[in-house]
Amino acid sequence: MSQQDYLNDISEIKNLMHKSSRFISLSGLSGIMAGIYALIGAALTYYLVDTYSYGTLLLDGWIFRSVMLVLFFVASFSIVTGIILTTRKAKKNGEKIWNQSSRRLIFNFLIPLVAGGLYILIILSQGRYGQTGGLMLIFYGLALVNASKYSLGDIKYLGFIEMTLGLIATAFPGYGFWLWVMGFGFMHIIYGIWMHFKYDTN
């Protein structure tokens, strides 16, 4: 065997090791759809708050409960769509949807996400609303960076962007809503399009 053959074999071995340790069937389309859901939810929330509560959000009011319900549906639709599209892509790639790599991916994604969600619920119960949007972005960004070790490494860059937007939102709470829209809406769509053409169309 020539030196080039050895190099090709080593490259193939590295590629197989990479695939066996990472779940690589994440769908770019799921990111696009998550962004669209977020924009729809943001538009509905803005309408409710602006129309019925004059820009204020009361913890014990129906507006607040409606906003929480909107967020729940945005998250639910995003998760369900992500599962469907990722399952379809995994089958196309001949990859199992539930294996050691996907379990590690989900576990590492949920650690900061669950911790952040509980923390946000605690501060909401104390009537501190101003930091909510920023905190959601920060913990979501941390979840993406933490999970990127077990999936497509590119998602860590989206995580860094989300964390940056979150830090800006905590520094300027008055812009928290619009930064949330930027992070969960437009950045998901932009990043989803990029990931789709980089990985899904090959």
Side-chain angles (χ1 to χ4, degrees):
M1 294 179 67
S2 66
Q3 183 178 3
Q4 185 61 43
D5 291 330
Y6 282 118
L7 292 175
N8 290 337
D9 288 343
I10 292 173
S11 177
E12 183 66 24
I13 291 170
K14 287 175 64 177
N15 187 44
L16 290 172
M17 291 176 63
H18 176 79
K19 288 184 176 180
S20 66
S21 63
R22 292 171 178 254
F23 184 76
I24 60 173
S25 291
L26 294 180
S27 171
L29 289 177
S30 64
I32 297 172
M33 294 306 300
I36 293 173
Y37 297 147
L39 291 179
I40 294 172
L44 182 57
T45 297
Y46 184 85
Y47 172 78
L48 288 171
V49 174
D50 187 62
T51 304
Y52 295 103
S53 64
Y54 308 101
T56 62
L57 207 57
L58 301 176
L59 186 62
D60 57 351
W62 72 271
I63 297 296
F64 179 84
R65 292 192 295 271
S66 298
V67 170
M68 291 296 102
L69 189 62
V70 169
L71 287 175
F72 171 78
F73 278 115
V74 167
S76 298
F77 286 145
S78 298
I79 292 170
V80 171
T81 302
I83 291 173
I84 292 172
L85 293 177
T86 298
T87 300
R88 187 176 69 180
K89 184 179 177 183
K91 289 181 178 179
K92 182 180 177 181
N93 293 341
E95 186 177 13
K96 292 182 179 179
I97 188 67
W98 189 245
N99 54 29
Q100 185 177 3
S101 297
S102 62
R103 288 194 293 270
R104 287 186 298 186
L105 167 66
I106 293 171
F107 180 74
N108 283 273
F109 180 74
L110 288 177
I111 290 173
L113 204 66
V114 171
L118 292 174
Y119 177 66
I120 290 170
L121 288 175
I122 290 171
I123 66 169
L124 283 175
S125 68
Q126 298 171 348
R128 295 184 288 165
Y129 315 130
Q131 303 293 328
T132 305
L135 290 172
M136 290 176 69
L137 288 165
I138 290 171
F139 282 107
Y140 178 62
L142 288 170
L144 289 174
V145 173
N146 204 41
S148 67
K149 296 176 290 185
Y150 305 100
S151 183
L152 301 172
D154 293 343
I155 66 174
K156 67 175 176 288
Y157 301 115
L158 177 60
F160 293 144
I161 293 171
E162 301 287 358
M163 284 189 288
T164 301
L165 292 172
L167 290 171
I168 296 172
T170 56
F172 304 98
Y175 297 96
F177 173 79
W178 300 111
L179 288 166
W180 187 97
V181 171
M182 176 64 70
F184 285 101
F186 292 111
M187 287 312 306
H188 264 147
I189 294 173
I190 294 170
Y191 215 76
I193 291 172
W194 181 57
M195 295 287 282
H196 174 69
F197 284 104
K198 183 176 181 179
Y199 294 106
D200 298 354
T201 57
N202 293 334

